[in-house]
Amino acid sequence: MGSSTALTELTMQKYQRMQTCADVQRRSAWRPPYALTTALELLSIEVPRISSKHRGLATTTIVAVPHANDKRHIVGVKVVVWPFPLDTVIIEGQFTCTSPACTWAMFSAYLELEELIVLADSMMRRDRRLCRTTIDALSLYLDEAEAQVRANKENGANSYLFRGYNKCRRALLLARAGTDSSMETRTRLVLLKYGLDCPQVNYPIFVGNNTRPIYLDLAYPEFKVCIEYEGSHHAGQWLNDARRRQMIEDAGWKYIQVTKLDIGNEAGEEALARRVAERIQEVTGKTVQLTMRQTTQQISDVRKLRRIPLYKRLKFEPLLPIIPTTQE
């Protein structure tokens, strides 16, 4: 709920990174685009969880070049080769970095599928000040990379798609625009892993006499069940959160609160999925069966994503409409 803290932190990271990049540019006239974690920080995009094998990405300045022959040695700068469309944007009129879509595709070689989904969501925040791209733009970039490889092959060159291309395609099936935090994304994926339908992201409802909507982090409007992630920044606003919860419950919603203690270990995540299933059972009066825990790879199978919605399987009349996503 809310992203003002994230905005402040990301803005601070951006200006810290700009200082580092300015130092690099004072020492060298070479101007390749900044990439990967350096690009994310310049773009004020939250950095995903990176495995220990690639931790170095977070501690150095990274630039990208299209060919290995373009590499140069600059102290404190890591150069990566990206022989695909090197789309760029300019930050504050002086720092060129890879575009959000290009940066996301480049990260596919370093991230697990789940974190690639988290990163895509982070680039499409509900807060317009932090929204950097769209599902369509991410998909278009993959199309352009594929077209480049196809053209190279037609010209007789050995050319292959980047290592994480298929991972990117899978990630787009589960990515959602309009999220507020990475933990909300991870919570959403947990529910899918236990066979529940994908909840709606930031579902708007009007309560009381309010003329402006309240946005529910995750919601099953067909059952009027919502899941709200409470981050550490909520500790100082517990009174407002309590009032918010009361208004939501007064409007007839089943409210499930989630914290970091519920996410990150299988026992806690299974318990969360069971809580959600139990609330749905209370509404419908029908048993909701969970599945064995599935992997992110399994839940991104397009066949599973096309299955009949739970409310139809339960023969339950939706209480509120479901808002279609761009992936549906």
Side-chain angles (χ1 to χ4, degrees), residues 48-254:
R49 293 173 178 171
I50 301 172
S51 68
S52 57
K53 182 170 63 174
H54 301 300
R55 285 296 181 192
L57 294 178
T59 58
T60 188
T61 299
I62 305 170
V63 299
V65 295
H67 306 288
N69 291 339
D70 297 325
K71 283 187 173 184
R72 296 188 190 180
H73 177 70
I74 305 293
V75 175
V77 176
K78 176 181 175 62
V79 183
V80 297
V81 177
W82 185 252
F84 300 96
L86 205 52
D87 297 350
T88 61
V89 295
I90 299 176
I91 305 298
E92 301 289 340
Q94 55 183 321
F95 303 105
T96 300
C97 69
T98 51
S99 70
C102 180
T103 304
W104 179 71
M106 291 179 71
F107 259 108
S108 64
Y110 303 94
L111 298 178
E112 298 294 334
L113 175 58
E114 181 160 329
E115 286 305 303
L116 195 61
I117 297 166
V118 169
L119 178 56
D121 280 14
S122 296
M123 292 180 166
M124 302 183 291
R125 290 287 185 237
R126 179 167 65 95
D127 187 334
R128 292 183 180 180
R129 296 168 296 179
L130 294 174
C131 184
R132 299 289 180 262
T133 191
T134 64
I135 289 284
D136 287 344
L138 295 176
S139 181
L140 179 60
Y141 182 85
L142 298 181
D143 293 342
E144 291 172 350
E146 186 175 5
Q148 176 180 305
V149 169
R150 188 165 53 248
N152 289 343
K153 287 183 176 180
E154 289 173 354
N155 291 328
N158 288 327
S159 187
Y160 304 93
L161 285 164
F162 54 92
R163 185 162 46 126
Y165 174 83
N166 290 331
K167 193 190 301 182
C168 286
R169 288 295 187 190
R170 278 186 173 269
L172 285 183
L173 295 173
L174 293 179
R176 294 291 183 270
T179 61
D180 285 334
S181 77
S182 294
M183 290 306 291
E184 289 175 22
T185 299
R186 296 185 180 103
T187 301
R188 185 177 82 241
L189 296 177
V190 164
L191 302 180
L192 290 171
K193 289 177 183 178
Y194 288 95
L196 293 169
D197 288 354
C198 186
Q200 300 266 283
V201 170
N202 275 307
Y203 188 84
I205 64 170
F206 291 88
V207 296
N209 296 320
N210 292 336
T211 57
R212 299 178 65 180
I214 287 178
Y215 290 92
L216 305 175
D217 292 346
L218 301 170
Y220 292 104
E222 62 271 42
F223 307 120
K224 293 189 76 171
V225 171
C226 70
I227 303 97
E228 294 273 288
Y229 183 82
E230 306 289 350
S232 58
H233 65 281
H234 287 268
Q237 58 184 55
W238 65 269
L239 184 57
N240 286 337
D241 287 348
R243 288 173 177 166
R244 171 189 168 93
R245 175 170 183 166
Q246 189 63 57
M247 287 191 295
I248 293 170
E249 291 182 330
D250 287 347
W253 285 78
K254 300 284 187 181

